[in-house]
Amino acid sequence: MVPALAVAGALRALGAEVTFIGGERAESELVPAAGYELRKISVEGMSRTNPLRAARALGRAALAVVRARALLRELAPDAVMGGGGYVAGPVGLAAVTLRVPLVLSEADSHLGLTNRLLAHAARRVCLTFPMPGREGVGGHRYLVTGRPSPPPQEDREGARARLGLTEGEVCVLVFGGSLGARSINQAAVGAFTDTAVRVLHVSGRRDYPELAARSLPDGYDLREYLDGEDFADALAAADLVVARAGGSVFEIAAHGTPAILVPYPHASAGHQTANARWMADAGAAIVIPDGELNAPRLAQEVAALLADQERLAAMARASKGLARPNAAREIAHELLEAAT
């Protein structure tokens, strides 16, 4: 949802009206909270291990195409953007059958199933990373734009003040995702039991009750969740980030924050490992494999980086150099061009 909301914001800034079609997951809260109308369809992910669940998902997808066609006839959009994922499949197919211009956005380092199936019918496929044989210029279908992300928080001092950080206080931001990352959560609470730095740990809802019941040291700020503005403040205020390597790496780069990345080992097509390697190769991050992460290793890596301010500054510059701040605006322009 983060890339889709970023593109929606760019479209709205350009005077376009935006309506979302989605399901019952994160979009059911995030879209209305951002001030957009959400129309719903009923879909579920395709199981690759359970034939009965896969058949049920196909049946619901077929019904969702019918529902999506009815919604598109009612809304009469000038263009449709598919952001990948199983929700976008029925809507994208409905757009193709109704001859509504379709633009796709791929947030990962490989085309997901939905985008692979729809790419041949799209006016443009906007890529986060170059993909051999796909990226192009001019009239080619594929265009590398980078991954859309919200505008970064530029007021570092203001962000630090809002988070209660004092002048000169070092801050380490730890997060995993909306549910959290268990391996990172467990390593962090063990690594920072005796440290002089301020730790802002966003644990996610799954592990929060267990972690909150522990005796945490002063300066250890445990949060279950941060909304978009508070998360941007945290990235701007932090001196170092410890995180997974999903889509948030692009928000980390937008804020120019050095990172220790622990890729989720079971991510589809290994895209988190590819994301982490992208940052590490540029000198913006160091990577710890999930199987090698523990409290002593994390404490050692954090201490070594914080003790080397010259290296930390170089990592921050490298991180900022990876940012693609105009990605959302580029995709918005592609949609407007397709619409006209």
Side-chain angles (χ1 to χ4, degrees), residues 7 67 103 118 156-157 177 216 227 305 328:
V7 174
R67 166 69 172 159
V103 172
L118 292 173
R156 175 175 163 84
E157 294 307 315
L216 299 173
D227 64 22
L305 283 177

Side-chain angles (χ1 to χ4, degrees), residues 81-99:
M81 187 190 92
Y86 56 83
V87 174
V91 183
L93 182 57
V96 171
T97 61
L98 294 174
R99 300 185 182 277

Side-chain angles (χ1 to χ4, degrees), residues 112-195:
L113 176 61
T114 295
N115 281 345
R116 289 202 305 272
L117 293 175
L118 292 173
H120 72 282
R123 299 290 182 92
R124 184 73 85 180
V125 182
C126 299
L127 304 176
T128 294
F129 297 106
M131 297 183 188
R134 297 189 188 273
E135 71 274 14
V137 295
H140 295 172
R141 177 173 286 117
Y142 296 90
L143 176 68
V144 179
T145 61
R147 185 182 191 268
S149 59
Q153 171 57 262
E154 302 287 357
D155 181 11
R156 175 175 163 84
E157 294 307 315
R160 288 176 62 85
R162 286 187 289 275
L163 290 170
L165 294 167
T166 60
E167 185 175 354
E169 190 173 18
V170 176
C171 176
V172 176
L173 172 63
V174 180
F175 65 90
S178 59
L179 288 177
R182 191 176 298 278
S183 59
I184 293 178
N185 285 341
Q186 296 297 328
V189 295
F192 301 115
T193 55
D194 183 21
T195 180

Side-chain angles (χ1 to χ4, degrees), residues 1-3 6 105-108 127-129 145-150 246-251 275 324-325 327-328 331:
M1 286 309 302
V2 171
S105 175
E106 178 54 66
D108 290 325
L127 304 176
T128 294
F129 297 106
T145 61
R147 185 182 191 268
S149 59
S248 59
V249 298
F250 300 93
E251 293 176 74
N275 290 350
R324 295 288 293 262
I331 297 174

Side-chain angles (χ1 to χ4, degrees), residues 3 43 54 57-58 62-63 68 104 107 133 137 142 171-172 183 202 208 210 222 258 266 284 294 297 307 315 333:
V43 287
L58 282 172
L63 293 174
L104 301 177
V137 295
Y142 296 90
C171 176
V172 176
S183 59
V202 186
Y208 180 79
E210 175 193 341
L222 178 68
H266 307 297
N294 53 44
R297 172 74 183 275
M315 290 175 69
H333 280 295

